[in-house]
Amino acid sequence: MRDRICAGRGTRPSSDLMPEPVLPTILLVEDTFSDAALIRRSFEKANVLNPIVWVKNGQEALGYLSGLGQYGDRNQYPLPALILLDLDLPEMTGFELLQWKRMQPNIRRIPAVILTMDSATSAVNAAYDLGANSYLIKPGNPEEIMRVVKIIQEYWLGLNQAPKLVMRATPDAS
Amino acid sequence: MVDGPVLLVEDDVSDYRLIQRAFAKIKPFVPMIRLAHGDEAVDYLAGDGPYENRSLHPVPCVLLLDIKLPRRSGFEVLEWIRAQDSELRRIPIIMLTSSGHQADVNRAYELGVNSYLVKPSNSSELEHLVSAFRTYWLELNEGPNLCG
């Protein structure tokens, strides 16, 4: 089986200059348990080994991104390299999270990809206006979801040049 | 799924040829408009001067934007687009540049870029990048629906 992501994980000897970086984290903000489970399973089946943190609403995502409470430990709860965001969420919607995020120094740079069933033009436009980086429609069947998560991983965690984030644990971050 | 056009803002002729060649290899065909200056990109998007006729000069679905451009830089074009009152402000903008400097990457995200790609140094990697770009931005991504 071809598995180039796996080959790079933990098997390479550490560089002399810095410790082997762990794979970037994906923050999945999704209120529907079955959807979240399906997306996580699809990532696994697509051999995406990046850690996926699942939170159930915008409020929890805000807590994670701000490092509130237990999330203050950035070694255990690192800032994500990518946010996958549903829009219709309880307590704090995806739109409200985007609105909050764009006001936060540092965090506002993290790419946010909308992953939703809502294909209404008004939702798409509002998401872009609030700074969403991309807008994807959640496919209805598992095969399509697997294809989409694979493309997400290859594009956003492979090809795309990520912003540098200031982690509390990194003293030389600029 | 949209079929373009893609607006490429790239002043370097040899880079443009390489990118054009990579696009020519992917199917289905993606129509591309190429402009060499930041000022031209702004005029084109605004529909000013020679670009008034929208049937000849359609609004692009996606922008591929270099940073180092004569007259108006890619950052200035990006800033201008995001500051528009019209729906133009929502156009997906992807930086395609040889600069992988972290300061440039961060600045682009701060100014509201959708994604940032670094030009690969060899043509097979460029073909891979162009093909992934097409799959993601023209096939998968739901755009703001103002192009064509």
Side-chain angles (χ1 to χ4, degrees):
Chain A
M1 189 172 62
R2 248 177 84 245
D3 197 354
R4 74 187 161 83
I5 304 156
C6 190
R9 199 200 196 198
T11 53
R12 241 180 298 160
S14 312
S15 140
D16 294 327
L17 297 168
M18 53 179 77
E20 183 70 17
V22 290
L23 288 170
T25 297
I26 300 169
L27 181 65
L28 173 64
V29 193
E30 169 65 68
D31 65 319
T32 313
F33 176 79
S34 57
D35 279 4
L38 184 58
I39 292 167
R40 296 181 76 169
R41 209 160 47 234
S42 304
F43 271 116
E44 271 168 38
K45 280 192 184 165
N47 276 318
V48 175
L49 298 173
N50 299 70
I52 296 164
V53 176
W54 171 43
V55 293
K56 288 184 284 299
N57 59 53
Q59 201 64 47
E60 275 184 40
L62 186 152
Y64 186 95
L65 291 168
S66 338
L68 297 179
Q70 57 171 342
Y71 299 131
D73 179 1
R74 286 290 184 220
N75 292 320
Q76 208 184 335
Y77 303 104
L79 278 175
L82 181 68
I83 303 170
L84 289 178
L85 182 60
D86 196 3
L87 289 175
D88 184 19
L89 298 166
E91 288 183 64
M92 186 185 202
T93 67
F95 295 114
E96 288 167 321
L97 185 74
L98 285 174
Q99 202 157 21
W100 169 83
K101 173 182 166 280
R102 72 185 326 203
M103 308 301 287
Q104 309 307 309
N106 191 41
I107 289 167
R108 68 173 169 224
R109 297 175 191 158
I110 302 173
V113 174
I114 305 301
L115 190 57
T116 176
M117 303 277 246
D118 189 354
S119 60
T121 305
S122 57
V124 176
N125 286 347
Y128 282 115
D129 279 344
L130 293 171
N133 293 68
S134 162
Y135 195 108
L136 304 180
I137 306 294
K138 215 186 282 171
N141 71 74
E143 290 76 35
E144 261 304 292
I145 290 192
M146 212 167 106
R147 178 174 167 265
V148 169
V149 301
K150 189 79 192 153
I151 294 174
I152 289 173
Q153 193 267 345
E154 283 176 355
Y155 188 88
W156 289 104
L157 304 172
L159 214 56
N160 185 64
Q161 200 75 17
K164 175 139 174 119
L165 302 172
V166 184
M167 303 269 186
R168 243 172 272 165
T170 313
D172 64 342
S174 55
Chain B
M1 168 138 189
V2 290
D3 42 16
V6 170
L7 175 58
L8 172 70
V9 193
E10 169 62 74
D11 65 318
D12 187 289
V13 177
S14 59
D15 277 4
Y16 163 60
R17 292 218 176 103
L18 286 170
I19 295 165
Q20 192 188 33
R21 215 171 295 156
F23 267 94
K25 290 202 175 167
I26 54 173
K27 285 184 187 112
F29 171 75
V30 178
M32 187 202 278
I33 304 148
R34 181 252 180 166
L35 298 170
H37 301 163
D39 273 354
E40 282 178 326
V42 166
D43 287 347
Y44 185 97
L45 292 166
D48 281 346
Y51 305 113
E52 217 176 345
N53 186 340
R54 279 290 183 222
S55 52
L56 290 175
H57 307 291
V59 174
C61 298
V62 185
L63 243 79
L64 278 174
L65 186 59
D66 197 4
I67 291 178
K68 288 184 201 79
L69 294 166
R71 293 206 273 275
R72 208 189 283 233
S73 75
F75 290 131
E76 288 170 297
V77 175
L78 171 60
E79 245 178 326
W80 179 87
I81 294 171
R82 294 298 187 236
Q84 295 309 294
D85 280 331
S86 70
E87 53 188 9
L88 268 184
R89 66 174 182 266
R90 302 185 189 120
I91 292 186
I93 302 171
I94 292 99
M95 287 298 180
L96 182 60
T97 169
S98 48
S99 164
H101 292 302
Q102 204 57 60
D104 285 342
V105 180
N106 284 352
R107 187 166 171 210
Y109 282 103
E110 296 276 342
L111 294 174
V113 83
N114 294 75
S115 163
Y116 191 110
L117 301 176
V118 173
K119 279 178 205 162
S121 49
N122 72 66
S123 58
S124 73
E125 277 179 38
L126 183 64
E127 277 163 32
H128 169 77
L129 179 139
V130 161
S131 158
F133 160 83
R134 193 202 70 89
T135 304
Y136 194 88
W137 291 104
L138 299 180
E139 201 184 308
L140 207 61
N141 188 63
E142 197 73 20
N145 228 344
L146 43 97
C147 54

